[in-house]
Amino acid sequence: MKNWTQGWLVYGPKKVSGNDKFVEKISVLGFDKESIILQNAINELDNGITGMLSVKPEIVFDEQLTKGLCITKNKEIAAEGYDIEEKEGLVTLSASDENGLLYGMFELLRRISMEKPLTGIKVSEKPSNPFRMYNHWDNMDGSIERGYSGKSFFFENEEVVVNERTKDYCRLIASVGINAVVINNVNVVGPATHLITERYMDKVKKMTDLFAGYGIKLFLSLNFAAAIELGGPNSADPLDSEVINWWEQKIAEVYAKIPNLGGFLVKADSEGRPGPFTYGRTQADGANMLADIIKPYGGIIIWRCFVYNCQQDWRDYKTDRARAAYDNFIQMDGDYHDNVILQIKNGPMDFQVREPISPLLGGLKKTNQMLEVQVAQEYTGHQIDVCYLIPMFKEILSFKTYCAEENDTIADVISGRTLGNKNTGFAAVVNTGNDKNWTGNDLAGANFYGFGRLAYNTNLTAEKIAEEWIRQALSNDVEVVEKVLKILMESRTTYEKYTTPLGIGWMVTPHVHYGPSVDGYEYSRWGTYHRADHLGMGVDRTDKGTGYAQQYYEPNASMYNNMETCPEELLLFFHHVPYTYTLKSGKTLIQHIYDTHFEGVEEVETMIASWATLKDKVDEEIFAVVTERFNRQLLNAREWRDQVNTYFYRKSGIADEKGRKIY
Ligand code: GCV
């Protein structure tokens, strides 16, 4: 008996909607029968159909059917894409490659699971982004940095674990179109540095092969100073020939053993991690050195841009952490070799519930870029509080950067449309662990599911993705779908209301990042300040302040620079604003803070009441887990409300117009 669930791949009995007649006989034409991906796809189809429709399909090869399901190779279809069409009782799934076949097969299962008829189906899909990637921050002792769902299922006691659960993980992520995964934390310390040595290579190879059977490339996070730690030269200088020789040998060794490894992800010169800056070299020097060595093997170097000074003085009003990624990377635009991808966090700070889009994204005009978001809820409620993140990711993707005449949104940049490049994509720090339900809170499964779906097709709406997840993971019952959809769709706004106002961010308990501590980071070295005094709050990032707003192309630069045109949800990110400033709603800033904090808690209460009505309609265990998390969310929301309101009441001395309880 597995002690983990099947997530959204729940193959229990479904309303048949005439779907059974299409799957009694299935023929595969033109694909290599020996292919592991094909075999995995067929097994999945077989299990899914048997479980959902009580039909045991007959599977044949290279026989053209007139009724039923034909899975056909068609070179015209885009890479990793698929077409499905039903005509006169025959469903044809066509793809040009095995990934496309696998994704098309999962689309069929999804439809069946959602009780949608296959009759009349006509879809044509191709991936929006070349790389669709999950980043795990798993450590080799089994802990997970910023993990809220138990321990790692990749590592235990400094060993690599490959088992049935690894396979189920592959099935889950392949079902939503993920094609690349980094299994270890970007902070590579201790035994993780040794993942590229004999000690671990057999196991890593086993995992790489298992992943490959689901069309997924395995990547490893790399310690930039590995040479020093693994007995090579006592340097990590990327221009030192001894260092280069050491890496040449090391990478040859790794690829001799694991020829299908995707490549490496590198966090350098960041939060104490070593990097090229130590040797007076540029980030491009570091990335290119590795990229040139790995190139003959078809490998990719993904280089993170989360490089900032984390030893700041809070008294210093000029240094601005928000500027750092752009300042550190923009000058070398065009210098990065073509198998380097710069991975850039969505915002200039660090995964807050509201931030502007990093000006580096699209700011770079000659460099491969990958957008990094965080599905793990580090700053958005630790998977205790519900926070469906896909609406936020949609906002990010649709942001117009003005980096080109056309095709200038973030979605364009990371799909490769803007520059016509192919080494681009969308990555997320994922929210899984070895908890039975994978994500701690079952409702956080919607983010785990949703990121993959969105990365595959950035045009899907957040509602559609949520509905798909609810129907597959919870129930097709209309009431369940409607109520959970409402909860998910409103959850980010609610979370934002009871936590930090108008883009200011932070105010969290330091290090842990759950629960309020308004001044927790105010006098720290981390560059994360709200600058509140008795008259107002917010950071002046205009041309009169830190100048951050000038990092955007026009008209964005002027829009943010001017308090009147700055989008209000980001007002305090860009401006220091008096508490008495009148917002477009007609409310003063201080009244807005009070109102949103009271509303936020009320909205949590409403969600809880709505969830409670579903007791007899969802799985008992899921109901209990989510209810327990909701209870904790309510306590958290109240604490945020009372601490934030009290803090700003005491600072400003301005009373709530509605005379509610503030302490
Ligand atoms: C993996 C934030 C997190 C760190 C994380 C870092 C990063 O600072 O709090 O835990 O480290 O981002 O993205 O590298």
Side-chain angles (χ1 to χ4, degrees), residues 146 506-522 524 526:
R146 312 305 177 188
W506 307 96
M507 301 191 186
V508 279
T509 309
H511 314 302
V512 177
H513 301 168
Y514 186 79
S517 177
V518 180
D519 278 340
Y521 275 119
E522 193 57 16
S524 76
W526 294 98

Side-chain angles (χ1 to χ4, degrees), residues 137 145-146 186-187 267 271 304 306 345 350 378:
W137 286 354
E145 183 152 347
R146 312 305 177 188
V186 286
N187 292 323
K267 171 176 179 176
E271 300 185 332
R304 293 179 89 228
F306 189 54
K345 286 192 183 188
D350 195 9
E378 175 178 359

Side-chain angles (χ1 to χ4, degrees), residues 5-14 48 51-52 113 171-172 471-474:
T5 69
Q6 296 297 296
W8 52 89
L9 298 179
V10 188
Y11 298 145
K14 299 286 167 184
M52 293 192 283
S113 177
R171 294 173 49 237
L172 283 168
R471 284 177 172 275
Q472 294 171 84
L474 298 181

Side-chain angles (χ1 to χ4, degrees), residues 231-287:
N234 192 24
S235 166
D237 180 349
L239 302 189
D240 177 333
S241 58
E242 272 190 65
V243 174
I244 298 171
N245 287 342
W246 186 87
W247 276 114
E248 278 169 351
Q249 275 186 26
K250 176 48 70 190
I251 286 178
E253 238 173 75
V254 171
Y255 273 88
K257 188 96 189 190
I258 319 173
N260 48 353
L261 187 75
F264 299 109
L265 172 66
V266 189
K267 171 176 179 176
D269 289 309
S270 170
E271 300 185 332
R273 303 313 303 140
F277 282 168
T278 315
Y279 304 91
R281 311 300 185 192
T282 66
Q283 297 295 302
D285 290 334

Side-chain angles (χ1 to χ4, degrees), residues 586-603:
K587 290 179 186 179
T588 59
L589 170 63
I590 190 75
Q591 194 57 40
H592 172 88
I593 292 175
Y594 297 148
D595 286 354
T596 48
H597 283 78
F598 283 110
E599 278 163 29
V601 175
E602 284 158 20
E603 287 170 15

Side-chain angles (χ1 to χ4, degrees), residues 77-219:
I77 312 267
E80 299 188 90
Y82 58 89
D83 282 6
I84 307 176
E85 186 169 10
E86 186 273 334
K87 258 193 205 156
E88 296 169 10
L90 178 71
V91 175
T92 308
L93 158 58
S94 343
S96 62
D97 55 27
E98 291 159 340
N99 277 30
L101 174 156
L102 185 68
Y103 302 149
M105 188 278 304
F106 274 117
E107 164 100 45
L108 288 173
L109 288 174
R110 185 156 55 236
R111 295 253 167 165
I112 295 169
S113 177
M114 290 166 66
E115 300 183 338
K116 306 263 183 203
L118 296 177
T119 307
I121 184 175
K122 191 169 170 21
V123 292
S124 186
E125 292 282 347
K126 62 172 191 209
S128 306
N129 300 294
F131 283 98
R132 308 171 298 279
M133 185 174 226
Y134 269 139
N135 291 182
H136 288 261
W137 286 354
D138 291 24
N139 299 315
M140 297 208 58
D141 62 0
S143 63
I144 302 179
E145 183 152 347
R146 312 305 177 188
Y148 312 106
S149 323
K151 295 230 167 197
S152 171
F153 47 80
F154 292 132
F155 306 111
E156 208 176 83
N157 300 323
E158 304 192 352
E159 275 308 329
V160 178
V161 179
V162 191
N163 59 22
E164 266 298 288
R165 188 164 190 160
T166 328
K167 189 168 174 181
D168 280 347
Y169 169 76
C170 291
R171 294 173 49 237
L172 283 168
I173 65 170
S175 80
V176 290
I178 296 287
N179 66 355
V181 170
V182 185
I183 55 172
N184 64 311
N185 191 355
V186 286
N187 292 323
V188 186
V189 289
T193 304
H194 294 250
L195 279 169
I196 49 171
T197 66
E198 276 301 319
R199 180 171 163 198
Y200 292 113
M201 259 196 260
D202 284 337
K203 278 287 184 58
V204 175
K205 177 178 168 40
K206 201 170 162 197
M207 189 161 340
T208 309
D209 290 343
L210 178 64
F211 278 30
Y214 287 90
I216 302 158
K217 283 266 184 202
L218 187 141
F219 284 70

